Amino acid sequence: MSETSAISQPSLLQHHEADPHYKTGVCVCIHGHFYQPPRENPHLGTIEAQPGAAPFHDWNERIHHECYRPNAYARVLNEHGEVIDIVNNFAHISFNIGPTLMSWLEHHDPETYRRILEADRESCDRFSGHGNAIAQVYNHIIMPLANDRDKHTQIRWGKADFAARFGRAPEGIWLAETAVDYPTLEALVDEGFRFTILAPSQVQRCRPIPSPEHPELDWYEVGGGQIDPTRPYRCYLPSAHPDGSQRYIDVFFYDGPISRDMGFNDVLDSSQHFAGRVGQAVRGDHRLSQMLAVATDGETFGHHKGGAEKTLAYAVTKEFPNRGWTVTNFAYYLKCNPPTWEAVLKPVTAWSCSHGVDRWQDDCGCGGGGLWHQKWRRPLRDALNWLRDELADIFEVNGAHFFKDPWMARDAYVHVIRDRTEKSREIFLEAHQTHELTPAEKVDALRLLEMQHHALLMYTSCGWFFDEISRPEGTQILRYAARAIELAGEVAGVELESQFVEQLEPGLSNVPQFRNAAGVYRQLVISSQVSLEQVAAHYAMSSLFTPYHREQQLYCYTIHQHDYQVQRMGPLSLAVGRLQITSDVTGDRSDLSFAMLHLGGWDFHCCVRSFRRRLDYQRAKDTVMTAFTSASSAQVILAINEVFGNHAYNLQTLFTEERHRIMQLLSRETLQRLDQLYSQVYRNNHGLIKAFQRDGLPVPKELQVAAEVAIRHRVLEGLRALEQETSDLNGGPLHRRSVYLTELESVAHEAQQFNCDCCMPEGQRMLEGVIWRSLRRFLNAPRPEHILDDVDWLRRLIELGRNLGGISLVRHQELYWNDRDNWLAFLRQQEPMPAKAMMKALLKLAQHLAIDPNALLVHGADLHHLVEIQ
């Protein structure tokens, strides 16, 4: 008997007539696996610039712009491209968002972060407490390849992070790459999870669950992906509960063909096409309910497929309901439809490797497709496993001095990772310490835990996913390994790096420059490590360009200034200081002193050392200061080297972000002189350029460049002035703002006349900010007597943006849309005549923002009499 014939049998469904949300028929669940790997520099706690993500700072920022925020504010558009609704997709789909990504969102876009949390609360209200969000193993490791201890920590960290953010316990969990084996399922049940989601290729056989009436039922072989994905399955485990009953976890298998089409075909081009494809999976049997479940990377909706978040928004709010389908989530469907079938999984599988989990340990070919091999995968896995075991021994032996139970302390450490404050660290240590720890013992205890933190991060699955070890993903996990090795050396005095690098030698790279994984480590990892001396040198050089306070945050360090003095003489500047640098991660403190000579331009010379006594520092400082006032630059450098050490730092050793900022500052004077020169050329030849334009002749390149540089300079100057005038809450005097705007409108007309490109990121950012602040003032503090002027002001700003090469009105649409109910409530309190004028102005503003005014009136049906939409 085949699985396809077996599915025609009615399921044993529970009826929940008391539940107003329970429905029979076709239920649809779209699952999005949203995830980004940890990308932070292990020494700085921040993501450094990633050129491949340009024009964005890094890949998190780029994918956020294309996917995460657009799904939190997904547009539904009319045929003219105007907004008719803004949908929070997370409120209508099942989703998991990796803890490392959620942490990034929380700090970089609190609005999107809140929308995601609100979406889960909304779904809990709609589905009797069963939310759309499910958990994820903490940093996306391949669970079947992890040892038992790491399996449980990954699950516990993922669960704790979820509960802290969403305010409830998770019912389901997403496994990285859906990689699974039975020990992994045992660990999930140990930690209280009810269900997970797998690919149809991961199951071997299934059958109806035997009952007293039918104790022996035949199994159906479905190892080729023939499993019926429209029902949940119970997966019984080898272990038993204390009462002797068999343990189990429930499993949903997503529809494989539809999910593949979503990722690799044109299914998401339109919501009608999407619904049509999903509808092909509807079973024509007599079951009261069936689940159409699909799963894909959440980044499919907007990043991999531009605009797909709009398709999703219309599908889940309009297209699916119009077909009589109920949009639901896994947890709620499971509550209403407990499994009546059981399934047996294949031994070790994943959704993105046809060789079990070899993609993350062997040269299996997955992730390749070109001429490159993956012979580095096995040596990398073996080296990390060796390092993990060495670090575990160090942790157990040394941790026993500090913690009642070192491994229990590691499991609880996730709360400190989420909250890096000193108070959080103290609460944690008080709960787990064996005795009242001294300050030095606290530092060592936290070093041990950070060592274990990085020992887990080094297993992030992305490191093996592609076909080359020197890619950013492979390099990143080696950076985590290096940080763990460094911490082990600091706390236990052991040297692990040389043996670790030796074990990387057999891992052949495809890039001749590196030769092997050891070469990648030497060239890309060691060079990225950061010492406290570098932090002090960074502070010293950047202090000439940044007004630091006595206590200053610098990446994941707090710097207290014990002493600081600057002397200047012509183009030369000398800074000497004494600092206390405290790690916000481990609490480690170091006193370092510096002397830094800036010879002008790009030339910096900085030395850093530690002085045991304050008197020694003062003598060194006096020596350098005396040399600066009475000797040549070369002699000052010699004096610095003599008393502050011979190891010199320069501009190149600055952290990348700050180096680039200082380079821009240092080049500003030169650029200003060039702006003046080009502006003079443009003014002197303005009439000639117009003549070329009038006669249809090409403008000489030199004159065209001069015109473009001069006009772009005027645009930026005008926008800076306008930004300054509108930065306060009142927006500055209206007449002065209007003068600046009129001048900018004139410059924009001139730019169009001379075919000058004025599309500049800095200009766009400033103008978008001016519009956003003006719109916020308009919405938060309406002035009935000035409403027409205010709307016209916003119209002019928006038109200026279009004339200068285009701006994004995405955030402005969201601000307007979110505030519409407050405005409509305000109008209801007004007299009919002023309310009518205000309503017309409000709808006119909607048109300027590319929002359909009729959509606004849907929310204020009782106000239709105030205005007639043309």
Side-chain angles (χ1 to χ4, degrees):
M1 184 175 179
S2 69
E3 162 68 354
T4 51
S5 60
I7 61 170
S8 64
Q9 299 177 9
S11 300
L12 301 175
L13 298 177
Q14 293 185 351
H15 295 274
H16 295 261
E17 296 178 359
D19 189 337
H21 302 289
Y22 176 69
K23 292 184 179 181
T24 59
V26 175
C27 296
V28 181
C29 182
I30 312 296
H31 183 82
H33 163 50
F34 295 87
Y35 160 74
Q36 290 301 310
R39 290 191 167 99
E40 289 77 9
N41 181 311
H43 294 85
L44 301 178
T46 189
I47 301 176
E48 297 170 293
Q50 296 177 305
F56 298 92
H57 176 271
D58 55 71
W59 281 105
N60 278 23
E61 192 175 290
R62 175 170 176 169
I63 298 171
H64 171 61
H65 175 82
E66 296 170 349
C67 175
Y68 306 131
R69 189 174 180 101
N71 274 284
Y73 296 91
R75 271 52 171 183
V76 177
L77 307 178
N78 63 17
E79 63 274 15
H80 304 296
E82 296 174 321
V83 175
I84 59 175
D85 199 4
I86 294 180
V87 175
N88 186 345
N89 279 346
F90 295 101
H92 301 277
I93 65 171
S94 170
F95 65 90
N96 70 277
I97 301 182
T100 52
L101 174 57
M102 280 295 273
S103 177
W104 185 89
L105 287 171
E106 181 180 13
H107 291 95
H108 289 80
D109 189 352
E111 287 182 356
T112 296
Y113 179 77
R114 285 193 296 269
R115 290 274 287 188
I116 292 169
L117 301 185
E118 289 167 4
D120 184 68
R121 286 194 292 269
E122 181 184 325
S123 63
C124 283
D125 293 341
R126 200 163 65 243
F127 296 125
S128 306
H130 301 279
N132 286 350
I134 66 172
Q136 179 199 288
V137 292
Y138 186 78
N139 63 278
H140 214 262
I141 75 169
I142 301 303
M143 294 290 277
L145 296 177
N147 63 24
D148 186 65
R149 195 157 45 209
D150 286 358
K151 277 185 173 72
H152 280 85
T153 298
Q154 284 282 326
I155 297 168
R156 289 167 185 164
W157 281 15
K159 182 177 180 179
D161 187 89
F162 182 98
R165 297 182 190 282
F166 290 95
R168 65 177 180 88
E171 297 177 77
I173 187 167
W174 182 268
L175 298 170
E177 304 294 335
T178 72
V180 70
D181 59 0
Y182 275 91
T184 297
L185 296 181
E186 294 275 9
L188 295 183
V189 175
D190 288 343
E191 304 303 329
F193 284 95
R194 293 182 57 209
F195 71 89
T196 190
I197 306 158
L198 299 176
S201 60
Q202 295 179 269
V203 60
Q204 185 62 52
R205 62 182 67 92
C206 65
R207 68 175 179 178
I209 296 175
S211 64
E213 296 80 18
H214 302 92
E216 294 187 11
L217 296 173
D218 292 336
W219 288 97
Y220 304 107
E221 294 297 324
V222 291
Q226 307 96 323
I227 189 82
D228 175 8
T230 64
R231 57 161 64 95
Y233 293 81
R234 185 144 291 169
C235 184
Y236 289 100
L237 307 180
S239 61
H241 290 290
D243 63 3
S245 60
Q246 197 170 4
R247 302 208 309 169
Y248 63 82
I249 189 169
D250 294 331
V251 178
F252 288 91
F253 297 99
Y254 61 79
D255 187 297
I258 298 176
S259 299
R260 279 192 298 274
D261 285 348
M262 289 168 62
F264 302 105
N265 291 325
D266 59 356
V267 165
L268 295 176
D269 285 359
S270 75
S271 58
Q272 294 82 9
H273 194 180
F274 184 26
R277 182 65 184 90
V278 172
Q280 293 175 16
V282 175
R283 306 289 174 134
D285 52 37
H286 303 291
R287 280 179 287 170
L288 293 177
S289 180
Q290 56 182 295
M291 167 76 97
L292 303 181
V294 295
T296 188
D297 287 334
E299 291 76 19
T300 300
F301 304 110
H303 172 58
H304 298 311
K305 292 184 174 292
E309 81 283 353
K310 300 181 183 68
T311 296
L312 180 63
Y314 194 79
V316 295
T317 59
K318 301 293 183 184
E319 196 67 36
F320 292 170
N322 288 346
R323 295 178 182 231
W325 302 344
T326 301
V327 177
T328 188
N329 64 41
F330 290 114
Y332 183 67
Y333 189 87
L334 191 61
K335 171 203 171 187
C336 300
N337 301 274
T340 59
W341 284 61
E342 64 174 309
V344 174
L345 302 184
K346 296 175 182 177
V348 183
T349 54
W351 75 343
S352 55
C353 180
S354 55
H355 313 92
V357 291
D358 282 353
R359 185 169 190 161
W360 300 275
Q361 64 179 350
D362 272 320
D363 183 10
C364 72
C366 291
L371 299 177
W372 282 6
H373 61 77
Q374 301 99 41
K375 294 178 181 178
W376 50 270
R377 284 179 177 166
R378 171 57 67 181
L380 175 62
R381 174 68 61 176
D382 290 344
L384 291 178
N385 285 346
W386 171 85
L387 179 59
R388 174 199 62 200
D389 295 340
E390 292 292 318
L391 297 174
D393 289 342
I394 293 169
F395 183 67
E396 281 191 335
V397 171
N398 292 272
H401 300 305
F402 308 126
F403 307 118
K404 302 168 190 174
D405 183 329
W407 296 111
M408 185 179 294
R410 182 179 84 158
D411 287 341
Y413 188 60
V414 65
H415 299 292
V416 179
I417 294 172
R418 290 199 69 250
D419 179 6
R420 291 294 191 179
T421 61
E422 185 175 358
K423 180 180 178 182
S424 171
R425 296 198 300 267
E426 290 298 326
I427 291 172
F428 169 83
L429 290 172
E430 187 176 333
H432 294 277
Q433 64 192 7
T434 56
H435 61 280
E436 186 70 31
L437 301 181
T438 66
E441 287 177 322
K442 288 179 181 178
V443 170
D444 277 345
L446 292 167
R447 281 172 173 164
L448 283 171
L449 289 162
E450 273 302 299
M451 178 187 76
Q452 282 298 308
H453 178 205
H454 287 86
L456 290 167
L457 293 179
M458 72 187 186
Y459 280 111
T460 302
S461 67
C462 305
W464 289 267
F465 193 78
F466 301 101
D467 57 3
E468 171 52 27
I469 177 64
S470 63
R471 280 179 56 101
E473 300 83 4
T475 303
Q476 183 71 10
I477 64 171
L478 287 174
R479 293 170 88 182
Y480 290 128
R483 180 59 177 151
I485 289 170
E486 183 180 24
L487 288 163
E490 290 174 357
V491 75
V494 295
E495 198 284 309
L496 299 174
E497 187 171 58
S498 58
Q499 198 169 347
F500 177 68
V501 173
E502 184 180 335
Q503 295 199 42
L504 293 175
E505 292 280 354
L508 300 180
S509 168
N510 294 282
V511 181
Q513 171 190 344
F514 302 111
R515 198 171 68 82
N516 55 27
V520 173
Y521 188 92
R522 294 187 187 100
Q523 296 182 47
L524 300 181
V525 175
I526 292 177
S527 62
S528 70
Q529 291 177 311
V530 175
S531 67
L532 288 180
E533 287 77 12
Q534 276 179 274
V535 175
H538 176 101
Y539 181 97
M541 286 182 273
S542 61
S543 68
L544 293 181
F545 306 92
T546 303
Y548 283 145
H549 304 290
R550 284 192 66 84
E551 188 160 291
Q552 182 73 36
Q553 193 74 28
L554 188 63
Y555 296 102
C556 59
Y557 301 95
T558 299
I559 299 182
H560 182 78
Q561 195 182 90
H562 287 307
D563 181 54
Y564 181 79
Q565 186 175 344
V566 176
Q567 284 194 12
R568 302 182 192 276
M569 187 183 300
L572 304 180
S573 298
L574 175 69
V576 182
R578 182 167 171 265
L579 312 171
Q580 183 185 73
I581 303 177
T582 303
S583 166
D584 297 334
V585 177
T586 64
D588 185 20
R589 287 183 170 87
S590 294
D591 286 325
L592 292 171
S593 302
F594 66 83
M596 189 278 301
L597 178 66
H598 180 212
L599 294 92
W602 313 103
D603 294 327
F604 293 80
H605 184 86
C606 179
C607 292
V608 177
R609 69 168 291 184
S610 176
F611 290 97
R612 189 171 58 85
R613 299 182 305 168
R614 183 176 298 181
L615 177 60
D616 295 333
Y617 161 72
Q618 189 61 47
R619 287 172 174 167
K621 175 183 174 182
D622 292 343
T623 299
V624 171
M625 287 292 185
T626 301
F628 183 72
T629 57
S630 60
S632 66
S633 300
Q635 290 173 313
V636 176
I637 291 173
L638 289 174
I640 290 174
N641 291 347
E642 181 179 348
V643 295
F644 280 87
N646 286 319
H647 186 80
Y649 299 89
N650 54 38
L651 186 64
Q652 192 59 36
T653 57
L654 268 176
F655 303 145
T656 306
E657 310 281 315
E658 186 69 3
R659 182 171 70 250
H660 292 170
R661 185 181 75 88
I662 290 177
M663 288 167 62
Q664 290 177 338
L665 290 173
L666 292 172
S667 62
R668 181 178 294 174
E669 185 178 340
T670 300
L671 292 175
Q672 287 176 343
R673 288 199 299 268
L674 286 172
D675 283 334
Q676 294 169 0
L677 176 63
Y678 279 117
S679 295
Q680 185 64 47
V681 171
Y682 174 61
R683 284 194 299 270
N684 291 345
N685 294 277
H686 183 267
L688 180 59
I689 296 173
K690 287 185 70 174
F692 274 105
Q693 293 276 1
R694 184 181 60 247
D695 291 349
L697 297 174
V699 178
K701 185 177 180 179
E702 293 79 1
L703 295 180
Q704 183 65 34
V705 168
E708 192 158 299
V709 170
I711 289 174
R712 286 162 69 102
H713 177 70
R714 287 169 59 195
V715 168
L716 289 177
E717 289 295 307
L719 287 173
R720 290 188 187 108
L722 187 61
E723 183 180 45
Q724 181 66 29
E725 281 300 319
T726 59
S727 60
D728 62 70
L729 290 176
N730 297 318
L734 181 60
H735 70 277
R736 203 157 62 198
R737 286 188 290 142
S738 184
V739 168
Y740 288 130
L741 179 55
T742 300
E743 171 63 20
L744 279 166
E745 289 169 333
S746 174
V747 175
H749 176 74
E750 195 172 336
Q752 290 178 323
Q753 183 181 7
F754 293 146
N755 297 319
C756 294
D757 178 13
C758 288
C759 185
M760 299 169 285
E762 182 185 359
Q764 290 175 322
R765 178 192 57 76
M766 285 191 287
L767 185 52
E768 288 167 9
V770 169
I771 297 172
W772 194 89
R773 287 191 297 275
S774 300
L775 179 61
R776 185 181 61 177
R777 281 191 291 268
F778 174 78
L779 295 172
N780 290 350
R783 304 183 302 169
E785 67 278 13
H786 297 291
I787 192 166
L788 294 179
D789 290 337
D790 290 342
V791 170
D792 190 60
W793 167 258
L794 285 161
R795 174 194 63 79
R796 290 174 64 192
L797 288 172
I798 293 169
E799 287 186 1
L800 174 65
R802 295 194 184 106
N803 292 335
L804 290 177
I807 54 173
S808 170
L809 294 175
V810 167
R811 299 284 178 112
H812 312 83
Q813 291 173 341
E814 292 161 4
L815 177 63
Y816 182 97
W817 192 266
N818 288 340
D819 207 63
R820 67 193 185 282
D821 290 335
N822 294 335
W823 251 98
L824 294 171
F826 177 77
L827 289 179
R828 292 185 182 98
Q829 299 171 7
Q830 308 303 309
E831 294 296 324
M833 287 305 292
K836 183 174 183 178
M838 293 170 68
M839 187 67 172
K840 285 187 175 181
L842 188 64
L843 298 180
K844 180 62 71 174
L845 176 58
Q847 289 180 317
H848 296 320
L849 292 170
I851 295 174
D852 184 353
N854 290 292
L856 187 67
L857 287 175
V858 170
H859 298 271
D862 57 322
L863 299 176
H864 271 277
H865 65 285
L866 294 179
V867 65
E868 214 173 307
I869 302 297
Q870 299 299 325

